[in-house]
Amino acid sequence: MSRRLPRARGEGPWPWLAAGSVALSLLMLGGLLALLAVRGLGHFWPAAVEQVALADGRLLAGQPVREERRFDGEGRERLYRTDNRDLDGGIWTWVAVEAIERVETPRELLVLERRRWGSFVGWLVAMEGVDGRHAGEAAWPALQARLAEIQALRRERDELRDRVVVPLVRRLEQEAGSRAELAEANARIRALQARMGGDTLVLESVDGRRLEQPLEEVLRAWRPNAMSPLDKLAAWGQGVWRFLAEDPRAANSAGGVWPAIFGTVLMVLLMSVVVTPFGVLAGIYLNEVAHQGPLTRMVRIGVRNLAGVPSIVYGVFGLGVFVYGIGGSLDEWFFAEALPSPTFGTGGLLWASLTLALLTLPVVIVATEEGLARVPDHQREGALALGATRMEMLTRVVLPMTMPAMLTGLILAVARAAGEVAPLMLVGVAKLAPQVPVDGDFPFLHLERKFMHLGYHIYDVAFHGGDVQAALPLVYATALLLVLVILVLNLTAIFLRHHLRARHGALPRH
Amino acid sequence: MIDPLPPKPVPRRQRLRRGRDRLATALITAGGIGVVVAVMAIGVFLALEVVPLFLAEDPQVSWRGLWLPQPIEGHELPQHRWQPDTLTAEESPRYGMAPLVWGTLKAAFWALLFAVPLALGAAVHSATFMSRRLRTRLKPTLELMEALPGVVIGFVAGLVLAPWVERHLAGAFSLVAVLPLGMLLAGLLWSRLPASLAQRLPPGWAGLWLMPWLALLVILSLWLSPWLEARVFGGDLRGWLEAALGLDYASRNALIVGLAMGFAVIPGIYALAEDALSGVPPSLGEGAQALGATRWQTLWKVVLPAAGPGIFSAVMIGAGRAVGETMIVLMASGNTALMTLSPLEGMRSMAASIAIELPEAAPGGTHYRLLFLAALLLFVFTFLVNTLAELVRMRLRHRYRRLGRGA
């Protein structure tokens, strides 16, 4: 654009408000994404732990979280996450900024992630291990070495439990299997368990209270102030990986989100399997087969409008028809021995996928129709003139050209389904599903089971958890994950559509 | 539609092909009609579930009882109440739908109040003033904004924005005045810039280079607002609101919902309005400009009237989305079934009620059917609104074609 634009003098103030609203919208979008990215990713960074000496002589240690103006307007106060729930009864401490005498970051300050009571922040005095007492400087290397050992044992035990014990128990439930084998496996687990125990950490909080901590309960230990940036980066990477790969702990407020990722992906896959053939079929019918009269036009408008019907309405429909209607009947016919506890008569994976398939059907139909309308008529005429039947014309000529459009529709449908939560609350999502819907048990895919979902996980942890403040970083991380998945899907769809437009030109108007 | 050639005497293979074609066509027809009917069955099913409510002569439910205020012990005047759960056995549940409808409309109203000016402003700017390169980038960006899941927006609104606004009330309110003034000020400053500098900041890219300016204004006004609050409102705006205007401030209120849901509906309204504006035949605008009108005058006097129905349909579709959005209202509104005008108090919408209460309602019971009635209302409302919008858009497209030919 080398042409010089005339300067827009004398347009008045309104264009600037219009330009400002573009800027403001973009600013809000950018702000939201930046907030999610910074808080979501920052959660895994091993932040420095400060030791704070107050004017009244008290000592405390913790991570500074944020600073606020006090409600009465007098000065500011700072929130520290001090952990040590078993000693203090809580994990947060507000400190008036004026009362702080000095702030230090001692290298020896230790952070423990424990199975119970949350984290610990303080000093490591000694480790009373199975191989004797390590005190002072020797305690930290001994702790690290022993912790690695215990971790290996724990992994071995979990593997044993999943691979050997659980299938055995399941076989025993159905027929008489070998009890001896099970007893032997259980004995091995007990032996592993025994090798994990026996060590005790002697800990001291910064204000001098002693605590004896069995090492078995400790998941990880680190000294954030002594870590180099490279160490921290490695720890950050491990943290992200654990978030993606582990099960949630402590009523979903800690640990990872693996079952939620799994549930979301599985549900969306099932949904695509259902929605693609039906959506494409309806699209082909409306565009290629049906008589193009006022009735078809009305149906087309109706289908388009269904995309605007609130998702919760689809949820209500799913609950009424799939869960209580079809599911209830299935239970009466095939699972009568399990009644009154429902098998299919309650929310589950199958019903959730079907509901979302219905919800996304208009998206796929509309995309298919647009793709079909974009194929020039002379292509069809050419095929027919060469003697092809209509079916051959469709499958050999028209549908291959429509493929990118259908794919775009499917991706948009998947993106919409992955972010939809409201209907799932009615038809089968669970806050904590004890059994993953896929396992080694026949028929391997359990359509009647409830499942976890990333979006519902956000809602549940943020609004039904105990300490929202403590779970907030995890919610940020989950939200970031969900948004990333959806953004990537949408970008793919946009790219595909762009590619498509470049190939076939603009959509001819009806 | 192109039909195959008329049949001739054909060999067996040909017959087989033709038979397969007929079979496939029949299958497609059956499948297509089946899918379309299944999708359309949603409304019919909801209506069928609601009908028994009014046939059964349930003493708790009557058409009047649902919408009119009912006498309640301890209150002089009849009240609207939505209390499906009762604490004691003697108390009977109260089913007044009015507070839920009110909450739904109130949330949608504040969302539209926030979203419509921003979305239309953005549409006007990108259809009229924006450089073509920026516009091709802006559209997909706003499409991504539309794809953000409601649960994420609701979480940020309910757990981050609401407590933050509560602490920085004066700062948040001052933004309402500061941002538009800041945009105007930017325009004023720009017109005073020396020509060389003004060419570096072309108006076509104003949507981008205004961003840092607005961010700076936001930071400034947040930094200055405690001082303003101390000077004007005695250091406590919330107390002042309560004392001077009698307004209670609930942390999760209609303004927060409006902001969050407005954010969610901006992209939808923008996309349709922009389509309508840029679809106006260029000959119209060119004629006006040739007669000496500025671009804004052209827009205001020629393009906007031509695109008016399209913009109306964009707003209608935005309203449909705002009425039915569930997670944002559920997470950011506090969910108390109040009927107040105050934007600083919460509400409970129909969609949120369905999401919360339906899993616990006994199938076939009064409460269950009433929630189905709420779903039916949502369905009918959004369906009608969308159909209206679609019809308007179709007529508009027709008109554009005529206008384009005529010129």
Side-chain angles (χ1 to χ4, degrees):
Chain A
M1 293 276 281
S2 61
R3 190 165 59 93
R4 283 200 168 183
L5 292 168
R7 292 203 29 199
R9 275 191 195 282
E11 297 269 15
W14 298 106
W16 292 100
L17 287 181
S21 44
V22 174
L24 192 58
S25 308
L26 290 177
L27 204 59
M28 285 193 301
L29 177 65
L32 180 69
L33 292 181
L35 176 80
L36 289 179
V38 169
R39 294 292 186 85
L41 292 176
H43 165 53
F44 303 108
W45 187 256
V49 178
E50 295 179 352
Q51 182 187 352
V52 182
L54 299 181
D56 57 2
R58 277 196 301 148
L59 274 175
L60 58 93
Q63 283 178 15
V65 179
R66 62 169 195 269
E67 215 176 287
E68 296 270 6
R69 199 162 55 94
R70 291 230 314 237
F71 259 121
D72 52 11
E74 311 285 320
R76 306 178 66 79
E77 53 186 355
R78 199 179 289 165
L79 179 65
Y80 277 97
R81 181 179 173 140
T82 45
D83 290 314
N84 302 0
R85 193 195 295 272
D86 39 352
L87 292 174
D88 304 339
I91 63 170
W92 306 101
T93 311
W94 281 100
V95 178
V97 174
E98 303 86 66
I100 295 176
E101 204 138 79
R102 57 173 202 285
V103 173
E104 295 164 322
T105 51
R107 293 171 59 85
E108 287 79 28
L109 215 47
L110 175 80
V111 181
L112 294 182
E113 194 180 323
R114 302 175 295 181
R115 207 184 286 278
R116 295 174 61 210
W117 302 109
S119 297
F120 169 86
V121 180
W123 311 109
L124 176 65
V125 178
M127 184 172 109
E128 281 161 6
V130 278
D131 53 345
R133 183 183 163 95
H134 308 272
E137 277 301 297
W140 171 240
L143 167 65
Q144 277 179 306
R146 182 70 181 135
L147 208 55
E149 252 173 70
I150 291 180
Q151 218 128 47
L153 288 172
R154 199 177 280 146
R155 214 170 295 137
E156 198 179 329
R157 181 200 62 190
D158 290 345
E159 201 150 308
L160 195 62
R161 185 182 289 158
D162 291 347
R163 294 273 160 80
V164 181
V165 176
V166 174
L168 273 177
V169 169
R170 212 172 273 140
R171 231 183 301 154
L172 271 177
E173 271 173 8
Q174 281 155 11
E175 75 240 48
S178 54
R179 277 178 193 283
E181 221 176 303
L182 181 66
E184 194 251 350
N186 273 331
R188 270 169 64 199
I189 285 189
R190 268 195 299 278
L192 285 174
Q193 200 88 38
R195 278 169 63 197
M196 279 190 251
D199 313 77
T200 311
L201 294 178
V202 181
L203 304 169
E204 194 179 279
S205 69
V206 285
D207 54 357
R209 281 173 296 168
R210 284 276 168 125
L211 177 74
E212 299 213 331
Q213 171 72 45
L215 190 56
E216 261 176 288
E217 300 268 298
V218 176
L219 293 170
R220 287 186 307 135
W222 67 101
R223 299 201 292 187
N225 299 344
M227 288 165 97
S228 70
L230 215 60
D231 290 340
K232 286 191 174 184
L233 196 65
W236 181 82
Q238 282 172 3
V240 172
W241 171 248
R242 267 196 307 274
F243 170 73
L244 295 176
E246 278 186 0
D247 287 351
R249 285 184 287 117
N252 289 358
S253 66
V257 292
W258 167 243
I261 298 177
F262 189 84
T264 312
V265 170
L266 188 65
M267 191 263 304
V268 165
L269 277 182
L270 276 177
M271 181 218 75
S272 335
V273 168
V274 179
V275 79
T276 316
F278 285 110
V280 169
L281 210 60
I284 293 177
Y285 170 72
L286 283 181
N287 211 61
E288 303 285 318
V289 179
H291 174 69
Q292 301 294 315
L295 184 67
T296 310
R297 212 163 48 230
M298 261 166 60
V299 167
R300 196 171 279 145
I301 294 178
V303 167
R304 258 163 222 261
N305 289 347
L306 282 172
V309 167
S311 56
I312 188 81
V313 173
Y314 287 93
V316 172
F317 180 78
L319 183 76
V321 171
F322 296 140
V323 177
Y324 290 144
I326 301 178
S329 314
L330 279 181
D331 272 5
E332 276 171 28
W333 296 337
F334 301 114
F335 302 96
E337 72 274 18
L339 285 172
S341 80
T343 311
F344 276 102
T346 177
L349 183 61
L350 178 65
W351 304 141
S353 316
L354 286 183
T355 307
L356 285 188
L358 205 59
L359 172 77
T360 48
L361 203 52
V363 181
V364 179
I365 296 180
V366 169
T368 308
E369 273 209 90
E370 282 189 1
L372 287 173
R374 206 167 270 150
V375 176
D377 261 347
H378 56 77
Q379 297 275 359
R380 296 188 180 87
E381 286 157 9
L384 290 177
L386 290 174
T389 62
R390 177 147 63 186
M391 190 59 208
E392 286 160 347
M393 177 262 285
L394 275 178
T395 51
R396 306 262 173 92
V397 179
V398 177
L399 288 189
M401 292 177 80
T402 329
M403 205 52 101
M406 290 192 258
L407 210 56
T408 309
L410 181 63
I411 293 171
L412 285 179
V414 165
R416 170 129 195 239
E420 222 34 277
V421 178
L424 296 184
M425 290 166 73
L426 302 180
V427 293
V429 82
K431 64 187 294 170
L432 194 62
Q435 291 168 307
V436 184
V438 171
D439 59 22
D441 208 9
F442 186 78
F444 308 117
L445 175 63
H446 300 271
L447 292 173
E448 78 284 0
R449 284 191 192 162
K450 294 195 183 280
F451 62 100
M452 291 177 74
H453 184 269
L454 280 176
Y456 186 73
H457 196 72
I458 296 174
Y459 169 68
D460 178 62
V461 177
F463 284 80
H464 298 292
D467 188 349
V468 175
Q469 192 64 251
L472 211 52
L474 204 74
V475 182
Y476 273 118
T478 317
L480 178 67
L481 180 63
L482 184 61
V483 167
L484 277 183
V485 168
I486 289 174
L487 286 194
V488 166
L489 282 172
N490 271 287
L491 282 175
T492 318
I494 288 173
F495 172 78
L496 262 179
R497 200 172 42 198
H498 189 75
H499 180 71
L500 184 74
R501 288 226 172 110
R503 218 169 67 177
H504 293 311
L507 175 69
R509 293 237 160 91
H510 281 292
Chain B
M1 203 47 26
I2 309 119
D3 285 310
L5 290 172
K8 279 184 290 184
V10 282
R12 225 172 65 112
R13 204 177 114 71
Q14 198 88 18
R15 266 214 310 277
L16 193 73
R17 279 174 60 208
R18 195 151 297 151
R20 218 162 43 195
D21 178 54
R22 259 192 223 121
L23 186 71
T25 309
L27 274 180
I28 290 177
T29 311
I33 293 179
V35 169
V36 169
V37 167
V39 168
M40 299 290 173
I42 294 177
V44 178
F45 168 76
L46 291 176
L48 283 182
E49 284 284 305
V50 172
V51 166
L53 198 61
F54 300 103
L55 292 182
E57 296 291 324
D58 191 334
Q60 280 173 357
V61 181
S62 62
W63 192 246
R64 293 164 63 88
L66 286 181
W67 305 109
L68 297 177
Q70 296 298 306
I72 287 179
E73 284 166 48
H75 292 272
E76 272 185 29
L77 292 171
Q79 304 271 318
H80 291 289
R81 282 290 163 85
W82 175 259
Q83 279 173 341
D85 302 313
T86 50
L87 296 174
T88 56
E90 304 89 77
E91 238 180 312
S92 63
R94 296 182 190 288
Y95 300 115
M97 294 283 285
L100 300 187
V101 174
W102 175 260
T104 307
L105 295 179
K106 183 174 163 187
F109 170 77
W110 287 101
L112 288 180
L113 195 69
F114 174 70
V116 167
L118 273 183
L120 293 190
V124 160
H125 181 72
S126 73
T128 316
F129 300 97
M130 193 178 277
S131 87
R132 186 183 294 273
R133 240 174 73 210
L134 183 57
R135 190 165 66 179
T136 51
R137 300 265 193 299
L138 182 72
K139 282 187 105 170
T141 310
L142 287 180
E143 232 167 85
L144 289 184
M145 181 170 165
E146 185 164 28
L148 285 179
V151 69
V152 172
I153 299 175
F155 149 66
V156 171
L159 282 185
V160 185
L161 190 68
W164 184 86
V165 169
E166 195 177 7
R167 284 191 92 96
H168 305 87
L169 207 52
F173 279 143
S174 69
L175 287 183
V176 178
V178 167
L179 286 178
L181 288 179
M183 295 169 198
L184 295 179
L185 184 66
L188 193 70
L189 290 179
W190 187 83
S191 64
R192 298 284 153 89
L193 280 181
S196 59
L197 210 58
Q199 223 139 54
R200 290 266 185 93
L201 297 173
W205 289 78
L208 273 193
W209 57 255
L210 273 178
M211 274 168 72
W213 166 252
L214 292 183
L216 181 77
L217 283 178
V218 169
I219 293 169
L220 261 183
S221 67
L222 289 181
W223 185 58
L224 286 176
S225 64
W227 175 82
L228 185 80
E229 191 176 1
R231 273 301 184 74
V232 183
F233 302 108
D236 183 10
L237 179 58
R238 210 173 140 174
W240 184 84
L241 276 176
E242 212 171 321
L245 302 178
L247 290 175
D248 257 347
Y249 186 85
S251 168
R252 293 182 187 153
N253 57 43
L255 285 185
I256 300 286
V257 175
L259 192 65
M261 206 149 67
F263 180 84
V265 297
I266 282 176
I269 302 181
Y270 163 83
L272 291 174
E274 214 266 349
D275 270 356
L277 284 174
S278 55
V280 174
S283 51
L284 292 183
E286 281 158 11
Q289 284 189 350
L291 291 174
T294 63
R295 279 185 291 180
W296 184 261
Q297 284 166 338
T298 313
L299 178 85
W300 196 245
K301 295 274 158 73
V302 180
V303 179
L304 264 187
I311 287 176
F312 168 77
S313 85
V315 173
M316 292 302 277
I317 284 181
R321 169 122 201 246
V323 162
E325 175 61 55
T326 311
M327 292 317 283
I328 295 179
V329 195
L330 183 61
M331 295 168 92
S333 74
N335 291 315
T336 40
L338 300 172
M339 273 185 90
T340 54
L341 272 173
S342 161
L344 301 181
E345 285 181 46
M347 78 299 250
R348 187 185 186 100
S349 79
M350 289 197 283
S353 283
I354 296 171
I356 300 170
E357 296 165 16
L358 195 54
E360 265 104 58
T366 308
H367 186 197
Y368 178 82
R369 294 205 188 282
L370 277 173
L371 291 172
F372 267 72
L373 176 63
L376 180 67
L377 286 179
L378 284 178
F379 177 82
V380 170
F381 179 79
T382 45
F383 201 87
L384 286 183
V385 159
N386 284 336
T387 309
L388 186 65
E390 184 68 31
L391 288 178
V392 168
R393 276 176 62 206
M394 277 172 72
R395 292 195 52 177
L396 187 72
R397 226 175 282 152
H398 187 70
R399 188 160 102 191
Y400 282 167
R401 229 173 306 156
R402 219 183 46 226
L403 281 174
R405 256 204 317 270

